[in-house]
């Protein structure tokens, strides 16, 4: 996936990019668990890898924002941005939890 240049985006567009990519990842994480439960272990693994790629994009946006602020350019905090950041962080947590669950299931041949 291609890196997103924040210089070309408004604050609202940046927030929506975070929501888009973390939302895509969240859907894939949940679907991976459902696929595993249905016996489609390879599909589940593929979906988790796709989710990680989506999260990588969202995390890169977040990191660019942190770098920008560390360089002295303050970010305007809006409810939309707070929602986007919350969405990203909860999806990151969800992905780690589902990865651990799937490893447990594999270890127990479930």
């Amino acid at each position: 996936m291609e890196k997103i240049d924040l210089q070309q985006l408004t604050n609202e567009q940046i927030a929506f990019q975070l929501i888009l990519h973390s939302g895509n990842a969240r859907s894939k994480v949940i679907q991976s668990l459902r696929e595993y439960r249905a016996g489609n272990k390879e599909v589940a693994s593929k979906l988790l890898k796709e989710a990680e790629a989506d999260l990588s994009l969202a995390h890169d946006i977040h990191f660019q924002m942190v770098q920008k602020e560390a360089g002295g350019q303050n970010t305007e905090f809006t409810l939309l941005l707070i929602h986007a950041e919350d969405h990203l962080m909860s999806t990151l947590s969800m992905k780690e939890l589902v990865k651990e669950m799937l490893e447990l299931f594999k270890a127990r041949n479930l």
Side-chain angles (χ1 to χ4, degrees):
M1 291 188 185
E2 200 171 303
K3 184 175 177 171
I4 297 169
D5 181 11
L6 297 189
Q7 302 297 338
Q8 307 300 319
L9 302 177
T10 66
N11 289 339
E12 291 81 15
Q13 289 170 323
I14 291 169
F16 279 118
Q17 285 294 311
L18 281 170
I19 292 167
L20 169 71
H21 295 296
S22 62
N24 286 345
R26 178 183 293 239
S27 295
K28 290 173 185 173
V29 166
I30 292 168
Q31 190 60 35
S32 74
L33 194 55
R34 290 177 179 151
E35 289 293 338
Y36 191 94
R37 188 176 61 206
N40 302 321
K41 295 177 183 179
E42 287 180 26
V43 175
S45 179
K46 180 178 177 269
L47 283 165
L48 214 47
K49 284 184 175 122
E50 290 176 11
E52 287 177 340
D54 288 317
L55 279 170
S56 179
L57 273 174
H59 190 268
D60 183 62
I61 292 167
H62 172 82
F63 186 68
Q64 286 183 64
M65 292 171 65
V66 170
Q67 284 182 314
K68 181 178 158 186
E69 189 160 311
Q73 292 180 294
N74 289 334
T75 300
E76 178 185 351
F77 287 96
T78 64
L79 185 56
L80 182 61
L81 179 59
I82 293 168
H83 172 69
E85 287 287 325
D86 179 58
H87 209 280
L88 172 60
M89 295 304 138
S90 65
T91 302
L92 286 166
S93 296
M94 180 185 292
K95 180 202 56 126
E96 290 303 317
L97 181 61
V98 168
K99 278 180 72 173
E100 290 300 318
M101 289 173 64
L102 293 181
E103 288 302 316
L104 276 170
F105 296 159
K106 287 175 190 174
R108 295 179 183 217
N109 294 318
L110 297 173

